[in-house]
Amino acid sequence: MGEAAKVVELPENPEKKRRKILIIVAACIVVLSLAAVLILSFSPVIAAKKIEVTGTKLVDSKKLGESLEPLKGTPLPRISEAKVQELIGDQPAINEIVVKAQMPNTLVVEVIEAVPVAILLEGKKEYLVSETGKKLRTVGKKDKDKLPKIKASDVTADAEQFKLLTGILSTVDKKVLEEVSTASLSKAGFAELALPKNRTLIWGDAKKAALKNEVALIFLKELEKKHAAKTTIDVTNPENPVVY
């Protein structure tokens, strides 16, 4: 070639240039976000100054609050549920805790408790028990809920059998449960519930609970109207209940 070739620089592709700008902007946002998180994680401005415990009925909220005192002064973003659980310790009545930060300086600990389904009688002691047969705590003077009582026996001594009975009780409607004075488990694994006026409600197992509750409520209402004497209501098969 007689003359050196001229190199002509082409303008950068607009789309490629736009992608570069977006990458730079995104990287800046990530860096700024990380910086903000680090600053907030160690900032005394949003440190916990107040601790609120909610949802308690079986456990003492005041005592729980006292056990969480060491968290005061800790920035809210650094307080985990694991740390709160560690400070609370093993509480049979607590199923779960939910930790929430309420800006600027309040830590809210929501307690989700187990639901008692019966009262276990062991000698002179009375315990609220859950559907899994776990002892939640001793019955207190302020406990007003009407729950069936279960006397200590071979059934209560057998963890699986006791869990079977309390599991069945957990399927019984609260309105029906309030009428039950005592509960026991038959050799066939059926729950038998004692009602006022020497009446008995044979519940059976935990199957078809919704229908059993409907049928039981109807019969209880009718029996109350008629002031019937000793009666047994068998809803083991709720499609074909038997009264005798």
Side-chain angles (χ1 to χ4, degrees):
M1 298 178 63
E3 188 177 349
K6 294 182 179 179
V7 178
V8 179
E9 292 187 7
L10 296 175
E12 187 176 5
N13 188 312
E15 181 61 27
K16 189 176 181 181
K17 184 177 181 181
R18 187 177 72 85
R19 283 200 299 268
K20 282 184 179 179
I21 294 172
L22 288 175
I23 291 172
I24 293 171
V25 171
C28 289
I29 291 173
V30 170
V31 171
L32 290 173
S33 298
L34 288 173
V37 169
L38 288 173
I39 291 171
L40 290 174
S41 295
F42 294 92
S43 173
V45 176
I46 56 171
K49 294 181 180 178
K50 299 177 182 178
I51 298 177
E52 294 181 4
V53 179
T54 64
T56 57
K57 184 177 179 183
L58 300 177
V59 294
D60 190 326
S61 60
K62 185 178 180 181
K63 287 184 179 179
L64 286 185
E66 290 173 353
S67 68
L68 297 174
E69 284 290 314
L71 294 176
K72 286 187 175 179
T74 305
L76 292 173
R78 293 177 60 195
I79 300 175
S80 65
E81 289 185 356
K83 183 61 179 177
V84 172
Q85 186 65 64
E86 180 185 336
L87 290 172
I88 288 176
D90 183 29
Q91 300 275 350
I94 298 179
N95 273 348
E96 185 183 353
I97 57 166
V98 179
V99 176
K100 302 175 185 177
Q102 188 172 299
M103 296 302 180
N105 55 21
T106 302
L107 176 71
V108 179
V109 178
E110 181 185 354
V111 176
I112 301 173
E113 296 181 328
V115 178
V117 298
I119 296 172
L120 174 63
L121 307 179
E122 286 188 346
K124 294 182 179 180
K125 292 186 177 181
E126 298 184 353
Y127 299 93
L128 292 172
V129 293
S130 70
E131 65 177 286
T132 60
K134 182 190 292 185
K135 293 178 183 176
L136 304 179
R137 66 164 170 77
T138 55
V139 176
K141 293 180 180 180
K142 295 182 179 180
D143 292 317
K144 302 297 182 182
D145 290 341
K146 293 181 179 179
L147 294 171
K149 294 182 178 181
I150 302 173
K151 295 180 181 178
S153 64
D154 291 341
V155 169
T156 62
D158 185 320
E160 289 302 316
Q161 288 291 299
F162 189 42
K163 184 177 179 180
L164 175 60
L165 176 56
T166 53
I168 294 172
L169 290 176
S170 71
T171 68
V172 182
D173 187 276
K174 186 177 180 180
K175 291 180 180 178
V176 177
L177 213 57
E178 288 178 347
E179 297 295 320
V180 179
S181 56
T182 62
S184 59
L185 192 69
S186 70
K187 291 183 179 179
F190 287 175
E192 296 184 0
L193 315 178
L195 301 171
K197 301 178 182 179
N198 292 318
R199 296 169 185 163
T200 302
L201 175 59
I202 301 178
W203 190 264
D205 56 23
K207 296 177 182 177
K208 301 180 181 180
L211 184 54
K212 286 180 180 180
N213 280 304
E214 289 181 20
V215 173
L217 285 169
I218 291 171
F219 275 111
L220 289 176
K221 190 174 181 180
E222 288 301 313
L223 287 174
E224 191 61 34
K225 287 180 181 178
K226 297 176 180 178
H227 301 286
K230 181 178 179 180
T231 307
T232 297
I233 307 167
D234 189 339
V235 294
T236 303
N237 179 9
E239 286 94 349
N240 186 27
V242 178
V243 177
Y244 53 90

